[in-house]
Amino acid sequence: MKKYVIQSTKGAPPQGAYSQGWRAGDFVFVTGTGPIDPASGKLVGETIEQQTAQTIDNILAILQADGASLSDVVKVTVHLSDTSLFARYNAVYASRFTKPYPVRTTVGSDLGHSPGMLIEIDCIAYCPKDAL
């Protein structure tokens, strides 16, 4: 099984000791990413809707850097700074992912390491290389 790192200038740049993504065989693993502007490295949006859209854009950019898409995603983990935001984030999420939706876990988390960040998402996609 081949494995290699995935980097995209169109996705949020790493702000610590981690990679944006990895391919391991037929799976693509995307790091926990948030609503960070890829060009400036700054937080984007004040509402959960804006931040969810930017976060999914960042995930999509990393997936596309290795030929995958949101439709290849099979597992998603979402961290919300406030679980009362669930319905609002879920509406944006449901408009970006298609049925059958990936399996998903959503938890409340302290995202205080990035003041103002309301959401962080990571995912796993299944995208066989011979399908590309």
Side-chain angles (χ1 to χ4, degrees):
M1 171 172 57
K2 247 173 104 167
K3 74 174 192 168
Y4 54 85
V5 71
I6 300 167
Q7 290 293 126
S8 171
T9 58
K10 296 178 182 177
Q15 298 184 352
Y18 59 89
S19 299
Q20 287 177 320
W22 272 89
R23 174 173 282 276
D26 292 337
F27 290 92
V28 176
F29 298 82
V30 176
T31 191
T33 189
I36 305 300
D37 179 83
S40 70
K42 297 195 183 303
L43 190 71
V44 172
E46 294 181 12
T47 69
I48 190 63
E49 292 86 357
Q50 294 166 326
Q51 289 196 15
T52 301
Q54 181 64 52
T55 301
I56 294 171
D57 287 346
N58 289 339
I59 287 170
L60 179 58
I62 297 164
L63 290 167
Q64 288 177 332
D66 199 54
S69 70
L70 293 177
S71 64
D72 296 312
V73 174
V74 295
K75 171 69 172 111
V76 176
T77 302
V78 180
H79 297 266
L80 294 176
S81 65
D82 179 351
T83 56
S84 73
L85 299 171
F86 181 89
R88 292 170 52 199
Y89 114 80
N90 191 58
V92 176
Y93 178 97
S95 74
R96 298 293 301 275
F97 286 90
T98 57
K99 291 181 180 179
Y101 296 118
V103 297
R104 181 178 73 182
T105 301
T106 303
V107 297
S109 295
D110 179 359
L111 300 176
H113 64 282
S114 295
M117 185 181 285
L118 303 174
I119 190 167
E120 182 175 342
I121 302 174
D122 69 75
C123 69
I124 302 169
Y126 178 73
C127 183
K129 270 301 201 179
D130 27 330
L132 302 178

